[in-house]
Amino acid sequence: MSKKVVIKNTDPDSLGHFGPYGGIFVPETLMEPLRELSREYERAVRDPAFLRRLDYYLRDYVGRPTPLFFAEQMTRKIGCGRIYLKREDLCHTGAHKINNSLAQVLLAVRMGKKRVIAETGAGQHGVATATVAAMFGLECVVYMGKVDMERQALNVFRMRSLGAEVVAVTAGQQTLKEAISEAMRDWVTNVRTTHYVLGTAYGAHPYPVMVRNFQSVIGREARKQILEREGRLPTVLVACVGGGSNAIGLFHPFLKDRGVRMIGVEAGGLGIRSGQHAARFADGRIGVLQGTRTYVLQDSDGQIRLTHSVSAGLDYAAVGPEHALLRDMKRVEYSHATDEEAVHAFNALGRWEGILPALESAHAVAYVIRNRRRWKKSDVIIINLSGRGDKDVQQVAEWEKKHK
Ligand SMILES: *Cc1c(COP(=O)(O)O)cnc(C)c1O
């Protein structure tokens, strides 16, 4: 890391600009609802009663704080540094997504909304939102691409069992991008009764900053936990980057600590040269997609490219705008891991630690494995284990069958 970088605050301006990125690119009818959401969000996070309520449910319902686990076997295998896992996989419903779903649903209740909608790719955000909506007695509709519904049948069943309506989206590639468009269309029509629970640090302002702040509980806890365990700050943080919420949630509370290197790991798919990946920083250009300006995978005509990853949660053509700024500032480094490396890391962590990571999180584990010769004895490395791998066993089995 360059030592001369001055770490400025990355908070966006009042219109959600993170430097040249972010902003609000939506139809006119959504401008006022987004403004109202910003106002209500600002009020809520200054209201001690709201924060007490959020803390209560994070503790007793989600199961926070999640442990920071010293991965002794992995540390031994890697041979250098000390490796810790932030166990977001132990959150209720099996991933970090519920930190944000819970907070946004509490906000929706506070705003008097009776209905929530969400988009989902792998189904983790849909399950988290359906779960919290059930507890608070809200109507819940989840938009999901038809192809994703087939790939993630288990999560569709979970959402329906929780009382949510799952709507199959049949436009275009029939995956996450189309599901987001459909959710936005619903929101335009039903905005008076409905809150749109967006699942990552992406989209029009205030979503990127709001979701980041709701996920920053991960980094605040990790900071306290590592100081207790090691008596010092970590030297390296590693997290996978889809839209960017688990990564920014871990990174944000450490941004001003110069000695902490941060690495975001994107989906390298079949390799950058194959064109089949979702590594926006390796191969993307600046553009506007679904409400925000950021790095987008696009062809020379500006058409959104098809993406590929073995992990549905990383398989999206654009990345959250704050990450784009952090990359320009050189505060965070971005790398990628291939499908093959992720599947290998999935198996390795299972055997070393008895923990099956989500294939998304396995990309972060893979980065640490690949760079094992670079770690120093004095390194203290925290990997964000954003979710558990139970949802992915079918996917891994199929991958291994194909590559035997
Ligand atoms: C959705 C998901 C991701 C990717 O989303 P981010 O917003 O980048 O965190 C990563 N890991 C898991 C387990 C997920 O469910």
Side-chain angles (χ1 to χ4, degrees), residues 95-97 124 199-200 240-247 313-314 358 360-361 386-387:
H96 70 291
K97 293 265 168 36
Q124 287 301 110
T200 187
C240 66
V241 182
S245 70
N246 87 87
L314 303 184
E360 292 83 6
S361 326
S386 54

Side-chain angles (χ1 to χ4, degrees), residues 392-402:
D392 294 318
V393 291
Q394 188 79 27
Q395 192 76 13
V396 172
E398 276 166 31
W399 193 92
E400 286 175 345
K401 212 163 106 196
K402 246 196 280 174

Side-chain angles (χ1 to χ4, degrees), residues 357-370:
L359 276 175
E360 292 83 6
S361 326
H363 285 70
V365 177
Y367 177 87
V368 173
I369 296 174
R370 185 173 76 219

Side-chain angles (χ1 to χ4, degrees), residues 121-162:
Q124 287 301 110
H125 175 59
V127 168
T129 304
T131 297
V132 182
M135 182 181 46
F136 286 101
L138 301 185
E139 186 188 340
C140 178
V141 178
V142 179
Y143 290 92
M144 191 168 185
K146 192 159 165 287
V147 168
D148 286 337
M149 284 178 72
E150 284 155 16
R151 286 196 290 202
Q152 301 286 339
L154 174 70
N155 276 341
V156 175
F157 189 85
R158 289 170 82 193
M159 287 183 266
R160 287 181 171 152
S161 303
L162 291 158

